[in-house]
Amino acid sequence: QVQLVESGGGLVQPGGSLRLSCAASGITFRHYTMAWYRQAPGKQRELVAGITSGGSTNYEDSVKGRFTISRDNAKSTVSLQMNSLKPEDTARYYCNAENPFAPRYTYWGQGTQVTVSS
């Protein structure tokens, strides 16, 4: 049974930082492309950042220079360090795992809420 369990969300003031973590089980983690998505109320889910099995990363334009995605294959975890947070970063953040050779094997976590407000 595949599980992706996110943690680290919460309420933070503008300009603050949060670190999200996602612990994966039930998959051969090192083979998977991992990503963070987010969905704000009334909006579509969007890709925030991704990291391949080889460590290549990509970011949504609005988070470049503020967010950093990383992975620890030994611990089967992926993290998202979020700095200089803005109110528009408020959303539910979801961990995603995709097998790049068999995209049908795509899994989602339950999400963790990030709220940026003063």
Side-chain angles (χ1 to χ4, degrees):
Q1 181 182 358
V2 178
Q3 282 192 313
L4 300 177
V5 180
E6 301 99 333
S7 61
L11 173 64
V12 63
Q13 292 187 342
S17 298
L18 280 175
R19 185 176 181 85
L20 305 183
S21 293
C22 171
S25 60
I27 59 173
T28 306
F29 182 83
R30 65 184 183 278
H31 293 167
Y32 276 69
T33 295
M34 301 300 298
W36 288 95
Y37 286 73
R38 66 186 178 188
Q39 187 168 19
K43 294 188 177 182
Q44 288 190 331
R45 191 174 295 190
E46 64 175 359
L47 176 66
V48 176
I51 185 166
T52 68
S53 58
S56 297
T57 59
N58 64 288
Y59 296 92
E60 194 270 328
D61 284 346
S62 70
V63 308
K64 286 180 180 177
R66 300 189 297 124
F67 290 10
T68 303
I69 189 170
S70 60
R71 66 189 296 159
D72 185 334
N73 288 339
K75 295 182 179 179
S76 296
T77 59
V78 60
S79 298
L80 185 68
Q81 178 67 42
M82 305 186 295
N83 299 328
S84 302
L85 283 160
K86 305 175 181 180
E88 50 265 43
D89 295 317
T90 295
R92 192 162 185 84
Y93 284 69
Y94 296 89
C95 180
N96 170 272
E98 180 180 294
N99 186 322
F101 302 105
R104 66 185 182 276
Y105 295 112
T106 295
Y107 305 99
W108 294 91
Q110 293 298 307
T112 186
Q113 180 67 34
V114 172
T115 302
V116 185
S117 175
S118 56

